[in-house]
Amino acid sequence: MFVLKLVFKNALRHKLRTLLTITGIAVAVMSFGFLRTVVTAWSYGVEASAANRMITRNAVSFIFPLPYAYRDQIARVPGIAEITWANWFGGVFKDPADFKNFFPRLAIDPETYFQVYPELIVPPDQMKVFTQERNSCIVGKKIADQHGFKIGDVITVDGDIYPGRWDFVVRAIYNGRDKSTDETQMFFHWKYLDERVRELQPGRDGQIGWYIFLATDASKMASIAQTVDEQYVNSQAGTKTESEREFQQGFVSMSSAIIRSLEIVSFIIIGIILLVLANTIVMASRERTTEYAVLKTIGFSPGHIVGLIGGESLLIAGIGGILGLVLTFPLSAAFAQMFPTFFPVFNVETVTIILAAIVAALAGVIAALFPTIRTLRTSIAEGLRAIG
């Protein structure tokens, strides 16, 4: 208890220096936690992937369509339980310069899409109306809250991939079943899209973006993918079939350089934490060389000296770490508010909190290591002669 009291008193001897050190550690821990959150949010789609869900897309590139005629052929492959499809619509909603106006807009088959994606929860009465109205749409709760969409509202989108002015009536709002479910999407009838494309651009109709289906047995997904793709080896539109996780990882890998950079920066921040704290502890220890010699003279053991230096370092690191972690949450919430659709799921994960706490604690231990060893090796006579 006496050593603990001395630790507190030592930490408060230079209040400004201690305050600045705590502030520096807090900012560093907050930055570390925020960057780790960005990295985890970047790959949320991989974590949210279903174990038995598979994707079939054009073998050349995701942006090229597949014939709608493939649907029944793929559905007949043994091991496929349920199949649906989707089209990326794109389009411009309101001011394109405002990033908040961007959210995924997909043309889907209302009869099957929500069976393949059971994590998208739609009230039955709203779903019934949606399936009956060709120009209706379903929006996620997050974008409904953000833009104030209500049932009956009309969302007007200017098409870019599919030219023209498109009006969609909001007939349902879905919620995510899980914390990792994306609630920033808008869905409407693929037939509505196909019919208008047939009128405006004959020849572009009868195409879909990609097929999604469920495998009855996840252990047979590789053989299912091979069977599907072999059907179209010599066709004009070859296919590439993979698990949803592999499909999502393909997207993440396109940004691997950015993610790697963020990881490197986050580890540089760890070094900054260490340097800031180490500088303070080394200065404090050097200034107290004579005091430590006196303490040894009156009977303080090496354990007491370790406790005094290490305790002060851990105390400053602990306060700075806690403050940084607390600040990480409002910073992440503000960022998520600014880019709601770019990062549909942006939460500070438990593993990030644990990692940041470990980093702060390790910084406290390592920063105290050198000055503690130096103090223990300094003899009483040398210590008494030292001028702090």
Side-chain angles (χ1 to χ4, degrees):
M1 183 60 71
F2 178 68
V3 172
L4 192 61
K5 189 175 179 181
L6 282 180
V7 167
F8 277 102
K9 285 185 175 295
N10 284 339
L12 294 176
R13 277 190 182 185
H14 296 279
K15 293 183 177 63
L16 180 60
R17 186 169 69 190
T18 301
L19 178 63
L20 291 175
T21 304
I22 290 174
T23 303
I25 294 172
V27 171
V29 170
M30 178 185 68
S31 303
F32 176 81
F34 174 71
L35 288 177
R36 297 302 307 176
T37 301
V38 171
V39 171
T40 54
W42 213 294
S43 56
Y44 93 93
V46 178
E47 302 302 324
S49 300
N52 65 334
R53 203 153 50 207
M54 302 184 72
I55 309 285
T56 294
R57 61 175 177 85
N58 192 298
V60 177
S61 172
F62 177 73
I63 64 173
F64 292 102
L66 290 172
Y68 175 71
Y70 284 7
R71 177 190 175 279
D72 291 338
Q73 298 166 4
I74 295 175
R76 285 195 291 269
V77 172
I80 293 180
E82 188 72 49
I83 186 170
T84 188
W85 63 94
N87 256 63
W88 178 263
F89 178 74
V92 178
F93 174 67
K94 293 185 176 179
D95 181 9
D98 188 347
F99 198 80
K100 292 180 181 177
N101 292 329
F102 170 80
F103 49 87
R105 293 174 276 270
L106 301 172
I108 62 159
D109 175 41
E111 305 292 340
T112 56
Y113 193 82
F114 294 93
Q115 296 177 30
V116 177
Y117 286 93
E119 64 267 37
L120 307 177
I121 308 299
V122 184
D125 56 330
Q126 296 180 15
M127 174 61 84
K128 183 178 180 182
V129 178
F130 169 67
T131 55
Q132 293 173 347
E133 293 188 21
R134 188 60 58 87
N135 66 335
S136 61
C137 71
I138 293 179
V139 296
K141 186 177 185 304
K142 186 176 279 188
I143 57 169
D145 293 341
Q146 181 186 354
H147 293 280
F149 294 146
K150 300 183 295 295
I151 303 296
D153 285 355
V154 176
I155 300 176
T156 300
V157 177
D158 293 318
D160 43 19
I161 302 174
Y162 302 97
R165 188 179 179 86
W166 302 72
D167 292 325
F168 304 100
V169 182
V170 178
R171 290 304 182 195
I173 297 174
Y174 76 88
N175 290 278
R177 182 191 61 191
D178 309 313
K179 190 175 67 173
S180 59
T181 302
D182 185 358
E183 294 182 337
T184 66
Q185 303 177 86
M186 169 184 155
F187 304 107
F188 63 94
H189 290 234
W190 175 81
K191 288 183 179 177
Y192 178 53
L193 171 68
D194 193 56
E195 288 170 358
R196 286 202 57 182
V197 168
R198 189 180 304 139
E199 294 175 6
L200 301 173
Q201 297 177 297
R204 284 190 69 188
D205 59 307
Q207 296 181 333
I208 61 94
W210 60 94
Y211 289 101
I212 313 110
F213 54 85
L214 299 176
T216 54
D217 186 349
S219 65
K220 297 179 179 177
M221 290 168 67
S223 62
I224 292 173
Q226 184 178 2
T227 303
V228 172
D229 292 342
E230 284 179 350
Q231 292 186 103
Y232 309 107
V233 169
N234 298 317
S235 66
Q236 191 172 2
T239 61
K240 180 176 181 179
T241 303
E242 55 197 345
S243 68
E244 185 182 31
R245 175 174 284 272
E246 293 171 331
F247 181 76
Q248 295 289 352
Q249 283 174 336
F251 275 104
V252 173
S253 64
M254 295 179 190
S255 309
S256 59
I258 298 174
I259 296 174
R260 183 65 57 85
S261 300
L262 291 175
E263 289 179 334
I264 291 173
V265 171
S266 68
F267 286 109
I268 290 175
I269 289 172
I270 295 175
I272 294 173
I273 298 174
L274 186 59
L275 290 174
V276 168
L277 183 58
N279 180 59
T280 297
I281 299 303
V282 167
M283 288 176 62
S285 176
R286 185 175 292 277
E287 291 168 357
R288 298 169 197 159
T289 301
T290 303
E291 294 179 23
Y292 290 137
V294 172
L295 292 176
K296 289 179 185 177
T297 305
I298 63 176
F300 274 65
S301 67
H304 287 125
I305 302 300
V306 172
L308 286 173
I309 300 175
E312 184 177 355
S313 180
L314 285 173
L315 178 65
I316 295 174
I319 295 174
I322 292 172
L323 185 60
L325 277 173
V326 170
L327 293 174
T328 301
F329 287 91
L331 175 65
S332 300
F335 185 80
Q337 187 70 23
M338 291 174 62
F339 303 99
T341 52
F342 194 75
F343 291 106
V345 179
F346 197 85
N347 300 318
V348 181
E349 300 289 339
T350 304
V351 66
T352 299
I353 298 172
I354 295 173
L355 200 57
I358 291 174
V359 165
L362 278 178
V365 172
I366 296 173
L369 198 59
F370 176 74
T372 300
I373 293 173
R374 176 182 172 277
T375 302
L376 292 176
R377 287 180 176 175
T378 303
S379 66
I380 294 176
E382 290 173 337
L384 292 174
R385 282 200 301 269
I387 300 175

